[in-house]
Amino acid sequence: MEQPATRSVEELEQYLALVHAAGLDAPWSRPGPLIESKKTRVQSCVWRWAEIEPLLKRSADFIAPGKGTERRILRLANPGVPERTSTHTLSVAVQYLLPGEVAPVHRHSPNALRFMMRGQGAYTTVDGDKCLMKPGDLVLTPTPMMHGHGNEGSEPVIWFDGLDSPIVRYLEVLTQERQPADRQPIGVGARPQRLIHYRWQTAYAALLQLAELEANPFDDVLMEYVDPATGRSLFPTMACYVQMVRPGVHTRAHRQTSSAVYHVVRGAGCTVVDGVRHEWKEGDFFIIPPFARHEHANEGTDPAILFSLQDVPLLTALGLYREEE
Ligand SMILES: [Fe+2]
Ligand SMILES: [Fe+2]
C-alpha cells in the first residue's frame, strides 16, 4: 500500500493498532479490491441410489426415530459446503421409516418439503392434518407448522426432505421446537390455510399434457409447482419443478445464479455441468451449483422424469437472479 510521504510505516502501524483497538477495520490497509469476487464452493456432484439405499437401510441397525434421533436420515452432503448441506442454500436428506414407526412431531423456522420415493403407508401430519403420501407425492411443511411422520404400512418407506435451513441458519434465526407428545393429534390443529399436498397423479398428468403443448430449450418439458391461491413458487426461498427430458432430446446449455438439487424420479440420462458429464438414473440425485453452465440429455428410448428443488425465488427476491445462454 502506498502512503503519503509525510507518514512513516511505523506511524501507519501505530495508527492501525488504534483502529483495531477501537473495534474498527481499515480495509484499505490490505491489498486488493474493497469488495472481492467470490467463487462458489458448491460442487456439482451425483449421489447414486445404488449407494444410498443400502446405507439408508443399514442406518436402522443404529438408530430409531424418537429414540436418540428425531429423524432417521442421510443428508446429501456437498463436499464444497463446510456445513455439509447439499448446496449453500438447500439441504436435502433421504429419510427411512420402518412399519409402525413414528417420527416425532416438531416445528422449526426453516421451510421444508418432502417428496415420496418408495413404499406405501407413510403419512405426514401438518398442523393436525394427515396427508397419506404415495410415491411421487409432494407434501409441504411451511414454517412454523407442526409436523410429524409415521408409517402405517407393512413395508419400509423412503422419501426425501428438502429444507431452506442453510439460509435460515445464515440469517441466525434457526429455531426448532418439539411437541411433547409423540403423535400429533389428528384433526385438532388449525387446518393449513394453503395447499400442502401435491399428488403425483395430478402433477404427472399435467406434465404429460404440457409435453403435448410446449417445450423449453434449456429444460425440455418443465413445470413448476405453484401455490394455486397466489400462482407463486411454493416458498419464498425454494421452488419445486417436475420436468421431462424426452428421448433423443439434448437441451441447450444455460447458466443461472440459482442452485439446484435434482432427483431422478424415472428413467436415465446425463447432465453436463461446466464440461463434466454426469450420468444419472432412477433414484439418483445431482447438484447444479450457482452459475454453472449445464445441459441435459436423454440418449435412451424412454422419457426421463426429474424433480428439482431450486433457490430461484430467493435469488429473485434479492434482485440477484440471472440466467444466460
Ligand atoms: Fe421437520
Ligand atoms: Fe437450468
Side-chain angles (χ1 to χ4, degrees):
M1 192 190 70
E2 280 182 37
Q3 64 269 349
T6 53
R7 295 285 177 264
S8 67
V9 173
E10 290 73 28
E11 280 175 307
L12 174 65
E13 281 171 359
Q14 282 165 11
Y15 166 76
L16 289 175
L18 291 173
V19 165
H20 296 155
L24 299 168
D25 181 41
W28 46 262
S29 63
R30 296 183 292 274
L34 187 59
I35 296 176
E36 245 176 301
S37 304
K38 184 186 163 201
K39 204 171 173 290
T40 183
R41 292 179 293 184
V42 179
Q43 292 180 22
S44 78
C45 39
V46 181
W47 291 270
R48 310 271 169 214
W49 185 242
E51 270 192 294
I52 299 171
E53 191 182 23
L55 291 171
L56 187 65
K57 291 185 168 172
R58 270 196 70 197
S59 67
D61 296 344
F62 304 100
I63 202 83
K67 296 168 191 145
T69 187
E70 281 178 71
R71 304 288 188 256
R72 186 192 286 122
I73 57 170
L74 290 179
R75 187 178 298 133
L76 308 182
N78 192 300
V81 179
E83 292 79 16
R84 303 179 65 78
T85 54
S86 314
T87 78
H88 59 314
T89 57
L90 304 168
S91 182
V92 169
V94 188
Q95 185 162 167
Y96 186 56
L97 216 50
L98 297 172
E101 282 186 332
V102 170
V105 173
H106 69 185
R107 65 176 171 184
H108 36 68
S109 50
N111 289 295
L113 59 90
R114 55 221 35 84
F115 185 86
M116 191 65 200
M117 295 170 66
R118 303 274 190 281
Q120 302 285 343
Y123 69 85
T124 291
T125 55
V126 190
D127 271 354
D129 207 19
K130 187 174 181 179
C131 307
L132 295 172
M133 305 191 293
K134 293 189 172 156
D137 284 6
L138 174 68
V139 173
L140 315 183
T141 50
T143 181
M145 289 181 175
M146 282 283 185
H147 56 278
H149 312 290
N151 179 2
E152 293 175 331
S154 54
E155 54 180 349
V157 291
I158 302 174
W159 67 81
F160 72 84
D161 300 282
L163 290 89
D164 57 10
S165 49
I167 198 75
V168 176
R169 185 191 294 118
Y170 182 75
L171 294 172
E172 310 243 327
V173 284
L174 186 64
T175 56
Q176 202 239 36
E177 171 193 349
R178 197 164 146 183
Q179 183 171 285
D182 262 7
R183 276 168 211 260
Q184 185 171 11
I186 306 301
V188 298
R191 285 179 74 83
Q193 295 297 302
R194 58 173 291 189
L195 181 65
I196 51 154
H197 189 180
Y198 292 75
R199 288 175 175 81
W200 178 248
Q201 212 183 352
T202 314
Y204 187 57
L207 184 70
L208 292 178
Q209 215 171 18
L210 183 63
E212 300 294 318
L213 300 172
E214 61 176 48
N216 170 317
F218 307 107
D219 289 292
D220 203 21
V221 184
L222 180 77
M223 193 176 72
E224 183 182 357
Y225 292 79
V226 293
D227 180 345
T230 62
R232 301 172 76 157
S233 298
L234 296 183
F235 297 105
T237 43
M238 304 184 284
C240 291
Y241 305 84
V242 62
Q243 85 189 68
M244 182 194 295
V245 184
R246 294 167 297 172
V249 166
H250 191 138
T251 68
R252 268 170 37 206
H254 74 163
R255 57 182 192 157
Q256 300 151 273
T257 49
S258 50
S259 65
V261 182
Y262 277 84
H263 168 63
V264 185
V265 181
R266 191 177 296 175
C270 81
T271 297
V272 182
V273 185
D274 279 339
V276 179
R277 185 182 159 103
H278 298 289
E279 308 273 349
W280 40 255
K281 62 181 180 185
E282 188 174 321
D284 293 352
F285 293 84
F286 62 94
I287 296 289
I288 310 282
F291 232 35
R293 187 187 145 92
H294 58 277
E295 56 204 272
H296 310 290
N298 180 356
E299 290 154 3
T301 50
D302 297 316
I305 310 292
L306 302 170
F307 176 90
S308 65
L309 174 61
Q310 311 194 21
D311 58 9
V312 173
L314 176 66
L315 275 290
T316 304
L318 296 172
L320 296 172
Y321 182 74
R322 274 189 295 134
E323 189 178 341
E324 15 180 271
E325 225 175 304

